[in-house]
């Protein structure tokens, strides 16, 4: 009876697996069924939704880090703020909002890389040459620095310098100013860096990238997405109406405290069940269950017995390799354990000592208990006592034969 | 088989006590005490009053032909009441040493947690060093030397609980409880015999035999896999979710020494995993500190040790 249950369970498991495979193949053809209880608000639980939520939170933290700082120096000095800003820059790079060069330059500045590294990070060769000259100059006047500052501002205004190069150049300027103690230029460069990073984080490109991601969530991500946006106060995203325009009319239900509730929560439709393939699948499953119950009741015990023997033999083969180096009484003991566990159906647990196992199986072994006790004693002496004598081996061998039913 | 004189030590002790009617359901406790002597350790007996803690220690001392003394620990007891002091002899005009009760083989420190921390420290120092210093002179304590301290787990008022560092000095903590109904009835039937039996017990070995046993127990074989097993148990005790502080290396040493003594008392010249399992609980139970949240839930250190033993695989193959 016990075997019948085991076989039934196995067949059901196989059926469940095969059904899963069939469904996976039909996935594209099957109608999409609502996943939740009727009335339960839908939430974003796909990877894209999670990714977007994380992205918004990351950008909000970076913006907050920049906006709550009085100077760029404050961002550099604060490990947490520095990491937030660096993380946001890298993310924007991954999203394609910033070029690879810009990401390198900006990261070098925020992470406070050395002067040579910073100079190398500037991608514009002419600008780099100019800055190297200024950096190497033995005597730099405040006017020189001011001129360079104005020059950089002009390049920026005309769009002739990338954000990364501009920030890196300003950072070089800031460092040179520190060297000579020119506070005015230092403050101006510091402010320029901070403002530029802030502008990057709030740029139209960033908003556009987020909008694209939202569009990808058009089907089921809106409520939670908006809730996330609401919690990340630093991010200025398109207004609600604007979002709805982007993603179209929302079809999902949402809790009352959500920013939007376009209609009453929608109920899942049952139209999918009318599909012929689904009906056929259900009939097939019922048929298989009936057949398997019949087969299990008829051939279950024989099959289970064969299965158990196969598993036991496989285990035995592995253990034999381990045991080859051990003394004969030790090998005989483990073979005896297999015999005893087959007779008594009591397996030796890993946490059970040889004496504990002997105590447990002895009442079930009848006349064979004495033989197993002898084998166990021989094992103990050889394994832990380090005694491997002919006598012990002989005693173990004789007892093992008795146990196996081969006589002495 | 290892023998002391002509007998397997614990078997002989047990037989003698059964003959005299003294051993009623306290075999495990008695064996642990004997193992403690052989392993050169000290024992902390925890149990409510009236569960034969003193009788057990006294009977063991008599059978092993060892000197036995008892101190009733009280808050006003001073260190010199235990270790001894110099008194001025008016006749000779010299100071003479008056040795304290610590100069014995088996010392029963009854209700150790009633003594002041200062007195406890003096005793525990002597336990650790196996010597005492009186007025700048150091005296070695005679071997074998074992302190059997008792404490009551219920009464906490007016006590000075032993800190964990001092508890660690005890090789074992033996938790002893009430006998079963059957055992209790048996005891009541034989109570008059029991009273006299302890005084009438005759030694089964000499003091020298005991010292020899201590030496021989050190030579008991320990297979490499047994060392691994002990290490695994102690390390697992640190990983248990309820544990704030698990077993220290000293806990591992305690298990090893006790396992050797345990095997020796049975007349075996090698340690088996069963020995380790048998001694792990008394060796670890007082060295583990639980997290308060688990303690209030009623989790005990004994449960933790049992969990550990049920998790760590025994040496295989």
């Amino acid at each position: 009876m016990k075997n019948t249950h085991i076989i039934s369970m196995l067949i059901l498991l196989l059926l469940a697996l095969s059904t899963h495979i069939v469904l996976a193949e039909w996935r594209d053809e099957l109608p999409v069924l609502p996943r939740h209880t009727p009335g339960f608000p839908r939430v974003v639980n796909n990877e894209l939704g999670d990714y977007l939520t994380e992205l918004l939170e990351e950008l909000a933290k970076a913006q907050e880090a920049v906006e709550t700082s009085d100077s760029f120096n404050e961002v550099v000095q604060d490990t947490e703020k520095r990491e937030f800003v660096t993380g946001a820059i890298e993310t924007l790079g991954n999203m394609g909002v910033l070029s690879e060069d810009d990401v390198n330059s900006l990261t070098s500045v925020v992470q406070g890389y050395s002067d040579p590294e910073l100079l190398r990070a500037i991608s514009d060769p002419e600008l780099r040459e100019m800055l190297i000259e200024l950096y190497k100059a033995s005597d730099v006047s405040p006017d020189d620095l001011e001129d360079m500052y104005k020059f950089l501002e002009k390049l920026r205004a005309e769009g002739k310098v990338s954000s990364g190069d501009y920030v890196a150049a300003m950072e070089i300027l800031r460092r040179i100013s520190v060297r000579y103690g020119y506070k005015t230029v230092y403050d101006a460069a510091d402010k320029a860096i901070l403002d530029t990073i802030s502008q990057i984080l709030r740029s139209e490109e960033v908003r556009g990238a987020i909008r694209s991601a939202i569009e990808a969530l058009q089907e089921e991500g809106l409520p939670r997405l908006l809730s996330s946006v609401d919690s990340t106060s630093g991010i200025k995203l398109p207004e609600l109406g604007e979002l709805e325009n982007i993603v179209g009319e929302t079809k999902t239900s949402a809790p009352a405290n959500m920013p939007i509730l376009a209609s009453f929560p929608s109920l899942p439709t049952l139209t999918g069940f009318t599909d012929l393939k689904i009906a056929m699948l259900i009939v097939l499953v019922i048929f298989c269950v009936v057949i398997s119950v019949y087969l299990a009741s008829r051939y279950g015990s024989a099959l289970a017995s064969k299965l158990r023997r196969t598993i036991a033999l496989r285990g035995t083969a592995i253990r034999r390799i381990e045991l080859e180096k051990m003394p004969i009484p030790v090998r005989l003991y483990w073979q005896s354990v297999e015999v005893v566990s087959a007779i008594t159906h009591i397996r030796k647990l890993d946490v059970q000592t040889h004496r504990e196992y002997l105590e447990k199986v002895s009442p079930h072994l009848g006349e064979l208990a004495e033989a197993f006790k002898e084998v166990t004693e021989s094992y103990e002496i050889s394994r832990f006592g380090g005694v491997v004598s002919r006598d012990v081996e002989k005693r173990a061998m004789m007892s093992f034969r008795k146990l196996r039913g081969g006589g002495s | 088989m290892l023998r002391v004189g002509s007998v397997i030590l614990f078997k002989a002790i047990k037989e003698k006590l059964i003959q005299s009617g003294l051993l009623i359901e306290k075999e495990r406790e008695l064996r642990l005490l004997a193992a403690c002597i052989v392993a050169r350790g000290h024992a902390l007996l925890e149990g409510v009053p009236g569960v034969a803690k003193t009788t057990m220690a006294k009977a063991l001392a008599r059978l092993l032909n060892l000197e036995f003394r008892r101190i009733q620990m009280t808050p006003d007891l001073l260190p010199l009441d235990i270790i001894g002091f110099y008194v001025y002899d008016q006749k000779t005009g010299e100071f003479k040493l008056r040795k304290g009760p610590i100069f014995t083989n088996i010392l029963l420190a009854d209700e150790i947690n009633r003594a002041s921390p200062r007195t406890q420290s003096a005793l525990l120092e002597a336990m650790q060093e196996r010597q005492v210093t009186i007025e700048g002179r150091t005296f070695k304590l005679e071997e074998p030397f074992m302190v059997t301290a008792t404490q009551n787990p219920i009464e906490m008022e007016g006590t000075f609980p032993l800190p964990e560092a001092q508890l660690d000095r005890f090789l074992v903590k033996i938790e002893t409880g009430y006998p079963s109904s059957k055992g209790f009835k048996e005891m009541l039937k034989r109570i008059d015999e029991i009273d006299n039996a302890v005084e009438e017990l005759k030694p089964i070995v000499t003091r020298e035999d005991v010292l020899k046993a201590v030496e021989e127990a050190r030579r008991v074989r320990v297979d490499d896999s047994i060392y691994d097993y002990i290490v695994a148990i102690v390390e697992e005790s640190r990983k248990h979710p309820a544990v704030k502080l698990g077993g220290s290396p000293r806990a591992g040493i305690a298990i090893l020494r006790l396992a050797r003594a345990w095997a020796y008392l049975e007349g075996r010249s090698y340690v088996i995993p069963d020995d380790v399992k048998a001694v792990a609980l008394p060796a670890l139970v007082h060295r583990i500190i639980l997290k308060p949240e688990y303690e209030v839930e009623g989790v005990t250190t004994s449960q933790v040790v049992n969990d550990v033993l049920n998790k760590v695989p025994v040496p295989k193959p």
Side-chain angles (χ1 to χ4, degrees):
Chain A
M1 198 59 195
K2 190 180 161 191
N3 292 335
T4 310
H5 290 155
I6 295 168
I7 296 295
S8 308
M9 294 290 281
L10 277 172
I11 293 171
L12 278 173
L13 188 70
L14 286 170
L15 268 171
L17 281 172
S18 57
T19 312
H20 183 78
I21 293 161
V22 171
L23 280 171
E25 280 177 7
W26 289 2
R27 186 174 289 160
D28 295 337
E29 296 171 41
L30 288 172
V32 177
L33 288 172
R35 297 167 59 192
H36 298 295
T37 313
F40 190 85
R42 285 186 182 189
V43 292
V44 181
N45 55 3
N46 56 19
E47 285 178 13
L48 188 58
D50 289 342
Y51 163 71
L52 198 54
T53 310
E54 277 173 25
L55 168 73
L56 291 170
E57 280 171 5
E58 193 173 29
L59 289 174
K61 280 176 186 168
Q63 269 192 9
E64 196 185 346
V66 172
E67 283 168 12
T68 55
S69 303
D70 293 329
S71 66
F72 175 65
N73 194 43
E74 198 180 311
V75 176
V76 177
Q77 296 299 322
D78 187 322
T79 316
E80 199 177 39
K81 286 181 176 179
R82 200 169 64 221
E83 291 309 318
F84 284 153
V85 175
T86 310
I89 289 167
E90 280 168 4
T91 306
L92 292 177
N94 293 337
M95 287 168 73
V97 174
L98 291 174
S99 69
E100 199 180 326
D101 287 340
D102 282 344
V103 171
N104 282 342
S105 314
L106 289 165
T107 309
S108 307
V109 173
V110 178
Q111 286 293 325
Y113 286 6
S114 66
D115 298 346
E117 280 174 312
L118 203 55
L119 285 163
R120 268 199 299 276
I122 295 170
S123 58
D124 186 329
E126 281 179 34
L127 181 62
R128 188 168 60 231
E129 281 301 314
M130 284 172 71
L131 285 163
I132 290 170
E133 252 177 55
L134 189 70
Y135 183 79
K136 280 182 177 173
S138 55
D139 189 23
V140 178
S141 69
D143 291 341
D144 294 338
L145 290 177
E146 255 179 56
D147 289 346
M148 178 54 89
Y149 175 80
K150 282 174 187 165
F151 175 67
L152 288 172
E153 285 289 279
K154 193 181 165 204
L155 285 179
R156 176 78 174 149
E158 290 171 359
K160 289 180 181 171
V161 65
S162 68
S163 307
D165 281 359
Y166 172 75
V167 170
M170 281 295 183
E171 175 63 7
I172 291 289
L173 206 58
R174 196 173 78 104
R175 292 184 189 183
I176 298 171
S177 309
V178 171
R179 201 195 299 163
Y180 292 100
Y182 300 147
K183 195 172 181 311
T184 319
V185 181
Y186 171 86
D187 287 342
D190 187 286
K191 189 173 181 303
I193 297 169
L194 197 68
D195 289 348
T196 311
I197 293 173
S198 179
Q199 280 163 20
I200 291 169
L201 293 172
R202 290 182 169 282
S203 67
E204 189 54 43
E205 287 87 348
V206 175
R207 294 173 66 187
I210 294 169
R211 274 191 209 119
S212 308
I214 290 167
E215 279 168 22
L217 279 172
Q218 188 174 1
E219 190 56 34
E220 68 164 338
L222 200 56
R224 183 170 146 196
L225 173 66
L226 288 175
S227 140
S228 305
V229 172
D230 190 42
S231 67
T232 54
S233 55
I235 294 288
K236 303 283 185 218
L237 277 174
E239 294 301 318
L240 190 59
E242 196 184 337
L243 262 178
E244 283 175 2
N245 289 337
I246 295 166
V247 300
E249 193 180 335
T250 53
K251 293 173 187 172
T252 55
S253 57
N257 59 356
M258 287 286 184
I260 59 158
L261 185 59
S263 60
F264 280 109
S266 61
L267 293 171
T269 58
L270 297 173
T271 50
F273 280 104
T274 57
D275 193 288
L276 190 61
K277 280 179 181 174
I278 293 285
M280 278 175 67
L281 188 69
I282 291 166
V283 171
L284 186 70
V285 168
I286 292 167
F287 178 74
C288 288
V289 169
V290 171
I291 291 288
S292 56
V293 167
Y294 169 74
L295 288 174
S297 61
R298 195 176 168 113
Y299 306 107
S301 45
L303 196 66
S305 169
K306 197 169 181 179
L307 200 68
R308 204 163 44 218
R309 272 204 303 275
T310 312
I311 294 165
L313 282 172
R314 195 176 160 74
T316 310
I318 295 164
R319 199 168 296 138
R320 269 187 193 140
I321 297 164
E322 282 175 33
L323 284 170
E324 264 175 17
K325 291 174 190 170
M326 302 304 281
I328 292 170
V330 177
R331 275 186 265 169
L332 290 175
Y333 172 74
W334 288 103
Q335 285 176 30
S336 302
V337 167
E338 276 159 26
V339 173
V340 167
S341 60
I343 296 168
T344 60
H345 297 278
I346 300 170
R347 209 165 54 85
K348 186 179 179 299
L349 304 173
D350 282 347
V351 294
Q352 220 166 24
T353 67
H354 55 283
R355 285 193 179 193
E356 285 169 346
Y357 186 62
L358 174 69
E359 201 183 320
K360 194 163 185 186
V361 296
S362 287
H364 305 274
L365 281 174
E367 289 175 354
L368 293 174
E370 195 55 38
F372 187 55
K373 190 182 170 198
E374 289 268 324
V375 177
T376 305
E377 280 172 4
S378 305
Y379 163 77
E380 184 184 293
I381 294 167
S382 307
R383 176 71 178 80
F384 300 106
V387 179
V388 187
S389 68
R390 187 75 201 122
D391 273 0
V392 175
E393 281 179 10
K394 202 175 162 188
R395 202 154 55 109
M397 186 60 82
M398 283 170 69
S399 303
F400 176 67
R401 279 182 191 153
K402 271 187 211 164
L403 205 60
R404 210 178 48 182
S408 57
Chain B
M1 289 276 182
L2 284 175
R3 287 158 195 274
V4 176
S6 61
V7 292
I8 296 168
L9 187 57
F10 185 68
K11 202 176 164 192
I13 294 170
K14 200 171 97 177
E15 276 171 7
K16 193 79 179 173
L17 289 176
I18 289 172
Q19 275 170 20
S20 59
L22 275 169
L23 191 69
I24 301 170
E25 295 181 356
K26 295 283 175 196
E27 190 183 322
R28 189 184 150 272
E29 287 88 339
L30 185 76
R31 189 167 168 179
L32 276 169
L33 270 184
C36 208
I37 294 180
V38 174
R40 290 184 84 232
H42 307 282
L44 177 66
L45 269 97
E46 191 175 90
V48 289
V51 287
K53 297 190 290 280
T54 311
T55 311
M56 201 158 40
K58 210 170 172 179
L60 193 67
R62 282 193 170 273
L63 287 174
L64 299 179
N65 203 11
L66 301 173
E67 196 185 340
F68 174 82
R69 284 191 190 181
R70 175 186 171 162
I71 323 168
Q72 186 62 47
M73 306 292 256
T74 53
D76 58 354
L77 195 79
L78 296 171
L80 54 84
D81 293 330
I82 296 173
I83 62 172
F85 50 88
Y86 279 97
V87 284
Y88 184 69
D89 189 338
Q90 282 186 326
K91 284 182 190 169
T92 58
E94 285 176 356
F95 281 93
K96 277 190 174 174
L97 175 69
R98 183 165 290 175
K99 286 181 176 178
I102 202 156
F103 288 89
T104 185
N105 295 125
I106 295 181
L107 176 73
L108 182 78
D110 219 353
E111 295 194 273
I112 190 170
N113 53 345
R114 293 216 172 269
S116 67
R118 192 177 157 211
T119 310
Q120 286 176 5
S121 298
L123 178 65
L124 294 164
E125 196 183 327
M127 286 161 60
Q128 181 77 8
E129 308 293 328
R130 291 179 174 265
Q131 63 181 33
V132 287
T133 305
I134 307 166
E135 301 281 336
R137 278 187 68 194
T138 301
F139 299 89
K140 280 264 173 206
L141 296 170
E142 194 184 39
E143 292 287 348
F145 171 65
M146 178 176 79
V147 172
T148 306
T150 71
Q151 66 177 20
N152 180 346
I154 307 297
E155 255 184 286
M156 282 295 149
E157 209 171 310
T159 62
F160 303 92
L162 269 72
E164 275 70 23
Q166 295 195 341
L167 281 173
D168 207 31
R169 305 271 170 88
F170 288 99
L171 193 68
V172 283
K173 181 181 174 187
I174 306 168
E175 287 169 342
T176 176
Y178 292 118
S180 67
S181 305
K182 196 181 161 194
F184 186 27
K185 186 181 166 188
E186 188 73 12
M187 193 190 79
L188 289 176
K189 278 183 180 175
R190 290 199 235 142
I191 191 65
D192 294 329
E193 295 166 43
I194 290 169
D195 280 344
N196 300 324
V198 179
E199 300 304 324
E200 286 168 8
L201 275 176
K202 295 279 182 289
I204 54 166
V205 287
T206 62
R207 188 180 146 266
E208 286 66 36
D209 287 334
V210 177
L211 291 174
K212 194 180 155 203
V214 171
E215 276 309 305
E216 284 181 348
R218 282 181 182 163
R219 292 199 291 271
V220 167
R221 184 180 190 272
V222 183
D223 188 73
D224 207 43
S225 60
I226 296 285
Y227 287 115
D228 291 336
Y229 186 44
I230 295 172
V231 168
I233 288 171
V234 174
E235 287 182 346
E236 193 60 42
S237 78
R238 295 177 205 148
K239 292 177 197 161
H240 194 282
V243 170
K244 188 174 155 196
L245 187 74
S248 62
R250 195 187 280 179
I253 296 166
I255 295 176
L256 175 69
R257 284 186 178 161
L258 273 169
R260 275 180 177 153
W262 196 261
Y264 179 81
L265 288 175
E266 208 181 78
R268 244 183 304 112
S269 58
Y270 53 86
V271 173
I272 58 172
D274 298 80
D275 299 327
V276 176
K277 273 194 165 182
V279 300
L281 184 72
L284 284 175
V285 77
H286 57 299
R287 299 171 206 266
I288 288 173
I289 302 175
L290 296 175
K291 288 178 187 163
E293 62 268 33
Y294 284 89
E295 220 169 349
V296 293
E297 274 178 22
V299 176
T300 61
T301 50
S302 306
Q303 283 170 7
V304 168
V305 179
N306 283 327
D307 285 353
V308 168
L309 293 177
N310 287 329
K311 198 176 175 190
V312 178
V314 297
K316 199 177 176 183

